[in-house]
Amino acid sequence: MLTNNGAAFEIEDGNEIKNPVKAIRAFCIDCCGGSSNEVKMCTAPNCVLYPFRLGRNPFRTKRILTEEQRAAATERLAKARQNKQNS
């Protein structure tokens, strides 16, 4: 059973889903009787959650980075990994 717990959604075992798209996926699985295969074959295309049923945001566009942005992101990631290893 999926319940709305403020900003997060809670599943039967008490785990919280904080990502809204993943919460919608969990809701759709619950709606389809617990079967992820039934979610793929959903017969309710008029449902407002229908585009998100597979756990992806179909309206999200891929980020296009310049070489400078890509280099800066790579450097930040390397620094974050180094800090994580040192702690």
Side-chain angles (χ1 to χ4, degrees), residues 8-83:
F9 285 82
E10 202 171 288
I11 307 178
E12 284 178 359
D13 60 3
N15 291 334
E16 288 186 355
I17 302 173
K18 295 183 181 179
N19 180 324
V21 175
K22 301 301 179 192
I24 292 169
R25 169 78 173 162
F27 177 82
C28 290
I29 290 173
D30 185 54
C31 178
C32 291
S35 172
S36 59
N37 193 38
E38 289 295 322
V39 172
K40 290 179 189 173
M41 301 184 309
C42 180
T43 59
N46 293 333
C47 176
V48 296
L49 303 178
Y50 186 83
F52 302 94
R53 74 192 188 285
L54 300 177
R56 304 256 185 239
N57 183 348
F59 306 112
R60 184 175 182 180
T61 59
K62 188 172 180 169
R63 288 178 36 186
I64 299 172
L65 301 176
T66 65
E67 287 302 318
E68 294 85 22
Q69 291 172 326
R70 189 179 307 267
T74 302
E75 187 177 317
R76 282 193 310 271
L77 179 61
K79 196 180 269 189
R81 285 181 178 165
Q82 178 108 24
N83 289 340

